[in-house]
Amino acid sequence: MEKKIQDFGMKIEGSRKDKNKDNKKENLPKLNHPGNFLLICRDNIWPETNGEELVASGIPQGVAFWREQIRKAIPPHPENADELSMVNYFNVISELRDQVSQVNDAAGVDSFFEYLQQNYLSTSDNYSQHLHVTAPAKDVVSPKLLKEARTAYPTYERKAEKLLFGIPKKDQPALRKKQKEQKQNHKTEADSPYEHRKKPFPLSKLSSFTRHGPSYLPEGNHAGKEEFLSLGIRGVEFGLWMSDADAQFALDQCYHALRDLAYVLDIEPHDISLGGKLALSFGARGYGEVLADYKAKQQLITLPNGNGNGFLAHAWAYAVDEYFRQVFNESLSQMADSALWCTYTTTSPPFVKDFLECLMRRTVIITAEEQNALREQTHKAIIQKAELLLGEKLQSIRPKQLTAKQQIDWDKALQEVYEHRCLAKPDMYLGVHGTNSSLEKLSALHKEITGHVLPKRKRISINRSLSDLYQSEQPYCRATQAIEQVESSNYQQGSWEMHRYFAKTSHGELYEFRERFARAFDCYIADKLREAGIENQYLTAHADEFEFQYESGRIVYAHPIGEERKQINQKFDELILKMKELGLFHQRKENEQNLNMDKETTLEKTAKICMADIQSMVAEERETMDFDRTARSNPYYGR
């Protein structure tokens, strides 16, 4: 039965179902005429390798894997869109495709680099060994392709075997079991390169989603095309597997989640679409994980399984990060990185620097008692270290064989040296302050027992240790008042520790600004929902789960908690207010008693401020920034 709920809105490029649909119509698009620019891309000129068919036809597994690696090493699109670049890109890839398809053994793999040298590489002169890519092939022969071409065949053979490339899925479990047994018996040649990689942070998966809050639809009605287009959503697509019931459930849940998000942020519902450019994908474009994600290239939030596992707010934060690019020509995370690493030359707005400081650092008040306790602890540790060092040096000069009387005399001499450590001066034995009398007595006793005095270098070393010990024993200055100290925030430290043990996300490392911004925003929305008396697990369900525990019992929090969380939430309030001032968001004007929005009114409000007006406001703000004026007045500015 044909589905009633279909994709609507603007077409979202890059969908795999569209690619599969095109591939079913014709194996290779009509590319005889290079002027057909829209089809000039690597995947159309050289389709993905079918490993199973190649291996079944008798091609060695390593060669089949090599063919696919060579194909993937070619840039997916030409760098320029002019006709000459398109023609060269099409011709060179076609030649490489035909050449690679003729390689059926290890000798052909190892000789492929020679083929590249003869046809697409040159040297600057007869004596230079540095290779240059010829002009027609500059968009195709990339450094990655050259690296793959130089790699020896056994590497591909080993990787193909480990990854089970070209093996039907039904046969893979048995082979993996066999590989595991061989590894346990130490029969494998090498470990898989993927075994020691960090794993993604484990998160619970929800099978159902709870929501308690106001209804934004008339009783008995469902969300559909009109409701999402009224929010300004550019387009919506569905996975091929989704039935009408699944698609309708996803639309209803997502619509209420987006309206709840707009409600707690106190912005107009159409602002959720971030200028009318945001698109949604339900049950499609997912890779392994069942978490919501944001793809900046398509300005698209993907919700695998139709729900994104309760990470819609998390993914929307990524979209907000990119939204700033429309006004500042940089994303929020890029401006934050500039403020962090280019402190004296950056022109990042002040609110970005304040937000970055709030995420990274905290100010701690240390009382006088706490300072003195810390100083006392440090003081004792320094004394202990000095005593251990002195003891090691005195032990090194002890004669090996002593009679009972000699032992008593030696111990008395050592005790005298230790008790008269106040007489030791750092520059004794160096022509100033003479010598250490108690240490000289010990040296004389050493001569009486062994027949020779202590070497001068030994006496100088022991005297310095005595002086250091005496100096370390002197009273320290006690604190009398509290002080403020700036240190890394608990959120920053927790994010770094989480990064040490868990893999990065598709948006970067777990400690980077973009990731910390998204996790903090997730917590912010969770708190705002609680304040409003709303629960929506479709919007946010895992805000407080980014934590783990060591074997010692210490818990690491990679999400804001306590007083830091309150301060970060306050910064988010200021950020939303700033976005309203810039015209990126608008103050909500709808009647809270009547949550059903007027679509015509919303569309009319969207057109009040154009992007040129917003950019003009930003330009004026940057001109009045004190920091910018100070930087430009510096004679070293711009060097």
Side-chain angles (χ1 to χ4, degrees):
M1 185 175 65
E2 185 179 357
K3 295 182 181 179
K4 294 182 179 179
I5 300 180
Q6 302 288 342
D7 298 354
F8 57 84
M10 294 178 63
K11 182 64 180 174
I12 305 170
E13 66 278 4
S15 174
R16 282 181 289 174
K17 66 179 181 180
D18 293 334
K19 179 180 176 181
N20 294 336
K21 188 186 299 182
D22 294 338
N23 290 341
K24 288 178 182 178
K25 291 181 180 178
E26 48 187 357
N27 294 330
L28 186 66
K30 295 178 180 179
L31 297 174
N32 297 330
H33 191 279
N36 194 352
F37 295 160
L38 295 178
L39 298 179
I40 302 293
C41 65
R42 178 196 63 193
D43 293 341
N44 284 342
I45 304 171
W46 190 346
E48 185 177 354
T49 304
N50 191 320
E52 293 185 16
E53 290 184 0
L54 290 178
V55 173
S57 66
I59 302 295
Q61 187 183 26
V63 175
F65 180 68
W66 170 82
R67 288 187 181 184
E68 177 60 14
Q69 293 303 105
I70 292 296
R71 189 192 74 85
K72 289 168 63 175
I74 295 173
H77 302 280
E79 184 175 351
N80 299 315
D82 59 276
E83 185 172 355
L84 179 60
S85 297
M86 291 288 185
V87 171
N88 290 335
Y89 183 83
F90 172 77
N91 291 334
V92 174
I93 291 184
S94 299
E95 294 170 3
L96 290 176
R97 177 196 63 203
D98 297 340
Q99 178 66 24
V100 169
S101 64
Q102 298 175 12
V103 176
N104 297 321
D105 53 23
V109 172
D110 293 333
S111 63
F112 181 68
F113 183 73
E114 296 178 6
Y115 168 80
L116 293 179
Q117 278 184 304
Q118 295 173 3
N119 294 275
Y120 307 110
L121 302 177
S122 64
T123 55
S124 55
D125 54 59
N126 294 332
Y127 304 97
S128 175
Q129 299 297 320
H130 184 70
L131 297 174
H132 298 275
V133 180
T134 57
K138 64 182 180 63
D139 287 346
V140 178
V141 183
S142 64
K144 185 177 180 181
L145 178 61
L146 295 176
K147 180 181 177 182
E148 294 288 349
R150 285 191 177 101
T151 305
Y153 174 71
T155 301
Y156 292 105
E157 190 175 38
R158 185 169 58 252
K159 287 185 177 181
E161 181 182 354
K162 297 295 182 182
L163 298 175
L164 302 180
F165 182 81
I167 304 299
K169 289 186 177 180
K170 63 179 181 179
D171 299 333
Q172 289 185 6
L175 286 176
R176 290 198 183 279
K177 182 177 180 181
K178 183 179 179 180
Q179 286 182 351
K180 186 176 181 181
E181 292 174 353
Q182 289 178 341
K183 182 179 178 181
Q184 291 174 348
N185 296 330
H186 305 284
K187 293 181 180 179
T188 53
E189 295 181 4
D191 290 338
S192 167
Y194 303 99
E195 287 183 356
H196 305 293
R197 290 184 175 180
K198 294 187 287 189
K199 307 297 182 186
F201 185 79
L203 290 165
S204 59
K205 297 179 181 179
L206 302 180
S207 57
S208 60
F209 300 86
T210 304
R211 181 185 182 272
H212 299 292
S215 176
Y216 303 99
L217 295 168
E219 186 175 354
N221 285 23
H222 293 284
K225 177 179 179 180
E226 293 298 324
E227 282 71 24
F228 278 87
L229 294 182
S230 68
L231 292 179
I233 299 298
R234 175 168 56 92
V236 175
E237 69 175 13
F238 303 91
L240 292 174
W241 63 271
M242 297 187 75
S243 64
D244 283 340
D246 294 328
Q248 188 59 66
F249 177 81
L251 288 174
D252 291 342
Q253 292 287 333
C254 185
Y255 179 74
H256 279 88
L258 294 177
R259 291 297 304 272
D260 284 342
L261 180 59
Y263 181 78
V264 297
L265 292 179
D266 199 24
I267 61 177
E268 286 288 344
H270 63 77
D271 288 334
I272 286 296
S273 63
L274 303 180
K277 296 187 177 181
L278 189 65
L280 298 171
S281 174
F282 297 99
R285 304 175 190 250
Y287 295 90
E289 298 288 338
V290 289
L291 307 179
D293 193 15
Y294 176 72
K295 300 184 183 300
K297 184 177 180 180
Q298 292 91 6
Q299 294 180 291
L300 170 71
I301 289 181
T302 62
L303 298 161
N305 290 350
N307 53 58
N309 197 32
F311 270 88
L312 179 56
H314 195 98
W316 197 76
Y318 295 135
V320 170
D321 176 59
E322 284 291 328
Y323 191 32
F324 279 85
R325 193 185 300 274
Q326 296 186 26
V327 178
F328 295 96
N329 297 321
E330 288 183 316
S331 66
L332 187 63
S333 56
Q334 288 175 331
M335 290 190 288
D337 287 340
S338 176
L340 178 62
W341 300 111
C342 307
T343 308
Y344 297 105
T345 58
T346 183
T347 56
S348 297
F351 72 89
V352 176
K353 301 173 190 174
D354 293 343
F355 202 100
L356 178 64
E357 284 292 321
C358 186
L359 287 185
M360 289 187 59
R361 300 179 180 90
R362 62 172 180 167
T363 302
V364 180
I365 299 178
I366 305 178
T367 64
E369 292 76 10
E370 292 173 337
Q371 295 177 58
N372 291 329
L374 182 61
R375 293 180 184 181
E376 179 68 22
Q377 183 180 359
T378 304
H379 187 239
K380 290 181 179 179
I382 293 174
I383 294 175
Q384 185 179 8
K385 183 178 180 180
E387 287 180 338
L388 288 174
L389 182 60
L390 176 62
E392 291 174 358
K393 292 182 178 180
L394 294 177
Q395 184 65 25
S396 67
I397 63 172
R398 180 181 181 277
K400 293 184 179 180
Q401 295 180 351
L402 296 173
T403 64
K405 184 177 182 307
Q406 289 175 338
Q407 182 67 53
I408 294 174
D409 293 341
W410 183 259
D411 290 341
K412 285 183 178 179
L414 287 179
Q415 185 65 28
E416 184 178 355
V417 168
Y418 181 78
E419 291 177 351
H420 290 80
R421 58 188 179 278
C422 59
L423 302 178
K425 306 295 181 183
D427 47 5
M428 282 181 170
Y429 297 97
L430 300 176
V432 183
H433 294 300
T435 60
N436 189 324
S437 57
S438 59
L439 192 55
E440 290 300 315
K441 290 182 181 179
L442 182 66
S443 178
L445 179 60
H446 190 275
K447 181 178 181 179
E448 181 181 331
I449 296 174
T450 63
H452 56 81
V453 298
L454 292 173
K456 185 176 181 181
R457 61 182 178 79
K458 290 281 187 180
R459 283 177 281 167
I460 291 175
S461 177
I462 294 173
N463 180 75
R464 284 180 177 173
S465 294
L466 288 168
S467 175
D468 292 343
L469 175 60
Y470 178 70
Q471 292 299 325
S472 65
E473 291 174 334
Q474 301 309 302
Y476 58 87
C477 181
R478 297 184 64 82
T480 58
Q481 59 183 3
I483 61 172
E484 290 186 355
Q485 181 173 314
V486 178
E487 58 186 32
S488 295
S489 65
N490 291 328
Y491 185 31
Q492 170 81 349
Q493 295 173 356
S495 298
W496 269 105
E497 292 193 57
M498 188 178 180
H499 161 71
R500 290 177 56 194
Y501 297 102
F502 299 100
K504 66 180 182 180
T505 71
S506 58
H507 297 275
E509 305 288 0
L510 294 167
Y511 64 86
E512 292 180 353
F513 178 85
R514 182 186 287 108
E515 281 299 314
R516 285 182 288 129
F517 177 81
R519 293 200 302 275
F521 183 80
D522 206 0
C523 294
Y524 170 69
I525 294 301
D527 293 343
K528 297 289 283 188
L529 288 172
R530 277 192 289 268
E531 291 175 5
I534 301 174
E535 181 182 8
N536 194 323
Q537 291 184 324
Y538 193 97
L539 179 60
T540 174
H542 308 279
D544 297 318
E545 291 187 14
F546 288 93
E547 57 188 55
F548 61 97
Q549 188 173 12
Y550 287 112
E551 293 181 358
S552 62
R554 185 170 72 90
I555 300 177
V556 176
Y557 297 95
H559 60 85
I561 59 172
E563 191 62 31
E564 282 185 6
R565 183 155 173 163
K566 295 179 182 179
Q567 295 175 0
I568 293 175
N569 286 351
Q570 183 178 354
K571 288 297 178 182
F572 272 114
D573 287 336
E574 296 174 4
L575 181 65
I576 300 300
L577 182 60
K578 188 66 178 179
M579 294 180 75
K580 292 177 181 178
E581 294 176 2
L582 294 173
L584 297 176
F585 290 156
H586 305 85
Q587 181 67 31
R588 177 164 51 86
K589 298 178 181 179
E590 68 176 359
N591 187 354
E592 295 186 7
Q593 304 298 326
N594 182 14
L595 293 175
N596 293 320
M597 60 189 296
D598 183 351
K599 299 180 181 59
E600 295 182 357
T601 304
T602 300
L603 295 175
E604 182 182 353
K605 291 176 182 176
T606 307
K608 281 189 175 180
I609 297 181
C610 64
M611 186 52 62
D613 295 334
I614 297 175
Q615 292 176 341
S616 176
M617 292 168 57
V618 173
E620 292 177 2
E621 181 181 345
R622 278 185 163 172
E623 289 179 358
T624 58
M625 286 170 53
D626 295 335
F627 183 85
D628 192 21
R629 290 201 302 270
T630 304
R632 294 186 182 277
S633 64
N634 193 316
Y636 292 96
Y637 183 82
R639 290 191 179 183

